[in-house]
Amino acid sequence: MSEIERTAILGAGVIGASWAALFLASGRSVTVFDPDPNAEASVRKYIEKAWPALEELGQVGHATRDAITFAPTAAEAVRNAQFIQENVPERLPIKHSTYAEVEPELSADAIVSSSTSGLTLEALQQGWRDPSKLILGHPFNPPHLIPLVELTANDATGSDVLNRTETFYEDLGKVTIRIKKGMPGHVANRLQAAVWREAVHMAIEGVASVEDIDKAMWAGPGLRWAAMGPTTLFHLGAGDGGLRAFCDHFKDTFNGWWDDLGNPRLDEDVINKLVDGINDQTQGQSTEELSAQRDKMLMAMQKATQHLRT
């Protein structure tokens, strides 16, 4: 059980607002800072929309949405906070300047976890005098519905920070993985990048439409991957022989496919082809409408599998 009760959010875009909703739902207090003058209104609106889903997933309990305050500066937001989730833009100068502002105000036992999706922990640590309080805690969007958090610590991280962070996130119902070697994009985004690279390649080669390539994913391997990872599923694919038998049987097949995979680049022509494809697929639906549809399906999947993830 985590001892953390007071949290702060730095950067209140979609990711920060989602974190705020989840932290509140867990019964913790939240202080938010974002330089956008409209941040408070947008965060409160986001939490209002997210709350029914959190209630339905059984994550709210006796929590209240009123345990949230908004600070005029990052320094003020982190004072007395035990856990700070940093979600400022993915540009090192902005992150470093934020760290320089908040570092003198941190309490002795505070943890700062960065939601960065692509920057390495080592690059982030360069913005600190003493980086021992910093850890990388990358979520998947939206954090209040998707359980994954990727954790990265290293020799400069405080000795108890990784364990305390992991305990805190698991208290929130998150599923954590520990990244042993930092790489740009971490683990999950690199997997996404690899799959999307081939999806883009097939679209520009005319193999199938953008819509049908997406459909091939959600109606096919995506369903299985929501249950188990690709290596485990291939382990099951050969029956009693397991992964060894699978590899012995399919190694030449996969080696041939890997040799044939595409290597596209997102130039203007490719981007235009993808945008035309997504416009055909979405048929005028707004991103807000599509996000609501996505969240309903994510919530249904989480509810359906909660009792199986023990």
Side-chain angles (χ1 to χ4, degrees):
M1 183 73 180
S2 174
E3 81 287 0
I4 293 168
E5 297 179 353
R6 301 181 304 278
T7 70
I9 301 289
L10 302 179
V14 174
I15 298 293
S18 182
W19 274 125
L22 185 62
F23 290 0
L24 286 172
S26 72
R28 294 169 168 89
S29 66
V30 180
T31 303
V32 178
F33 167 73
D34 191 291
D36 184 348
N38 299 314
E40 180 171 352
S42 64
V43 169
R44 291 190 184 277
K45 180 181 178 181
Y46 190 101
I47 292 169
E48 191 75 21
K49 288 184 176 181
W51 207 256
L54 290 164
E55 287 180 323
E56 195 168 338
L57 291 171
Q59 292 183 272
V60 171
H62 300 294
T64 173
R65 284 169 283 187
D66 296 332
I68 186 169
T69 57
F70 292 81
T73 66
E76 189 168 330
V78 304
R79 288 178 192 141
N80 301 316
Q82 297 164 287
F83 192 93
I84 299 98
Q85 190 75 41
E86 175 268 298
N87 320 279
V88 304
E90 287 281 286
R91 295 193 289 277
L92 275 175
I94 297 176
K95 289 191 181 290
H96 287 174
S97 66
T98 300
Y99 300 151
E101 180 182 351
V102 303
E103 186 172 3
E105 306 298 329
L106 296 173
S107 60
D109 64 345
I111 294 171
V112 177
S113 181
S114 178
S115 294
T116 180
S117 60
L119 299 171
T120 63
L121 178 61
E122 289 76 13
L124 298 178
Q125 287 172 331
Q126 292 170 15
W128 292 75
R129 294 195 304 271
D130 175 9
S132 61
K133 298 179 186 300
L134 179 69
I135 191 168
L136 196 153
H138 172 241
F140 249 51
N141 188 33
H144 72 282
L145 292 181
I146 297 186
L148 178 66
V149 183
E150 300 175 308
L151 300 177
T152 306
N154 60 20
D155 291 343
T157 310
S159 59
D160 65 340
V161 168
L162 177 58
N163 287 336
R164 289 175 60 217
T165 301
E166 195 167 50
T167 299
F168 171 70
Y169 283 137
E170 289 175 353
D171 267 3
L172 300 176
K174 308 302 281 182
V175 174
T176 61
I177 66 168
R178 295 186 176 193
I179 296 176
K180 299 177 180 179
K181 178 182 179 180
M183 300 179 76
H186 318 314
V187 172
N189 272 338
R190 293 180 73 92
L191 292 172
Q192 284 196 131
V195 172
W196 196 42
R197 182 174 69 178
E198 188 58 22
V200 171
H201 171 67
M202 289 189 290
I204 62 180
E205 289 295 316
V207 174
S209 67
V210 170
E211 179 176 5
D212 279 351
I213 293 168
D214 273 4
K215 192 182 296 183
M217 176 56 69
W218 67 253
L223 281 174
R224 297 196 307 185
W225 290 347
M228 296 179 182
T231 305
T232 303
L233 289 166
F234 286 149
H235 173 64
L236 302 179
D240 292 341
L243 187 61
R244 170 63 66 182
F246 183 91
C247 291
D248 287 343
H249 187 74
F250 288 108
K251 62 183 178 182
D252 292 337
T253 301
F254 272 86
N255 286 335
W257 287 345
W258 287 336
D259 289 342
D260 192 51
L261 292 177
N263 189 29
R265 288 294 181 267
L266 289 174
D267 59 31
E268 198 60 29
D269 288 341
V270 170
I271 293 170
N272 287 336
K273 186 175 183 67
L274 295 174
V275 170
D276 288 343
I278 202 67
N279 287 339
D280 289 341
Q281 180 177 345
T282 55
Q283 293 291 301
Q285 289 177 282
S286 69
T287 54
E288 186 173 359
E289 290 171 325
L290 290 167
S291 294
Q293 182 180 350
R294 174 204 64 192
D295 290 353
K296 286 180 181 178
M297 288 190 282
L298 288 173
M299 191 170 66
M301 288 186 281
Q302 289 284 60
K303 287 179 65 180
T305 58
Q306 268 181 335
H307 68 290
L308 300 173
R309 299 289 188 187
T310 55

